């Protein structure tokens, strides 16, 4: 009976670890989707990206205002996780972007070189988010993604 009890407890511990690892995998997948979503947005607005108009840091709990330029509107949409020109989804689980990574998530877009005569630029998106439930308390996780425009 003792051996059976120890075996069952071992299985329970493995299940708990599996759930935590799956949460970690989900967070990293959402980060990759968020980064490549912004890269695709920047490719669609390449002229502004090459001018450096996307180079900034946004935080999910303090999204920037869409103050008039396409780049600012796109950064706000990325931060909120939905098109801000439309009503927010009723179910928050349907939101993407930085919102999907948690309220303290931040994303930094940095392209270099930038300027009026630049024809290609290396762009980096660095995402920082809280993964404490899946990392035994090592809360801040940072992932960096690269592309060339």
């Amino acid at each position: 009976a003792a051996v059976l009890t120890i075996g069952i407890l071992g299985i329970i511990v493995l299940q708990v670890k599996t759930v935590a690892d799956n949460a970690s995998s989900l967070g990293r997948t959402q980060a990759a989707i968020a980064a490549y979503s912004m890269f695709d947005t920047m490719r669609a607005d390449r002229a502004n990206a090459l001018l450096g108009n996307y180079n900034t840091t946004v935080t999910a709990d303090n999204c920037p205002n869409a103050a008039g330029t396409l780049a600012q509107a796109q950064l706000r949409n990325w931060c909120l996780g939905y098109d801000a020109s439309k009503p927010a989804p009723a179910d928050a689980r349907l939101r993407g972007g930085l919102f999907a990574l948690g309220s303290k998530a931040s994303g930094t877009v940095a392209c270099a070189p930038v300027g009026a005569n630049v024809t290609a630029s290396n762009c980096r998106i660095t995402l920082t988010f809280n993964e404490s439930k899946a990392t035994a308390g090592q809360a801040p996780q940072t992932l960096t993604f690269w592309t060339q425009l």
Side-chain angles (χ1 to χ4, degrees), residues 63-74:
C63 293
N65 291 323
T69 70
L70 178 60
Q72 290 167 330
Q74 296 291 20

Side-chain angles (χ1 to χ4, degrees), residues 17-73:
K17 178 68 174 145
T18 299
V19 169
D21 288 346
N22 283 341
S24 176
S25 176
L26 175 63
R28 291 169 188 273
T29 299
Q30 289 172 323
I33 291 168
Y36 285 101
S37 171
M38 179 50 67
F39 284 147
D40 288 343
T41 297
M42 293 165 61
R43 283 187 188 97
D45 187 24
R46 192 168 186 271
N48 275 316
L50 292 177
L51 288 172
N53 292 337
Y54 285 89
N55 288 4
T56 192
T57 298
V58 295
T59 305
D61 63 353
N62 188 23
C63 293
N65 291 323
T69 70
L70 178 60
Q72 290 167 330

Side-chain angles (χ1 to χ4, degrees), residues 46-125:
R46 192 168 186 271
N48 275 316
L50 292 177
L51 288 172
N53 292 337
Y54 285 89
N55 288 4
T56 192
T57 298
V58 295
T59 305
D61 63 353
N62 188 23
C63 293
N65 291 323
T69 70
L70 178 60
Q72 290 167 330
Q74 296 291 20
L75 286 164
R76 180 171 176 76
N77 292 346
W78 183 55
C79 181
L80 293 171
Y82 67 94
D83 182 350
S85 68
K86 300 175 182 165
D91 186 347
R93 294 175 296 176
L94 299 176
R95 292 171 64 179
L98 290 182
F99 182 87
L101 297 174
S103 64
K104 301 294 182 191
S106 67
T108 300
V109 179
C111 296
V114 293
N117 297 319
V118 172
T119 58
S121 184
N122 292 313
C123 296
R124 177 184 77 235
I125 293 179

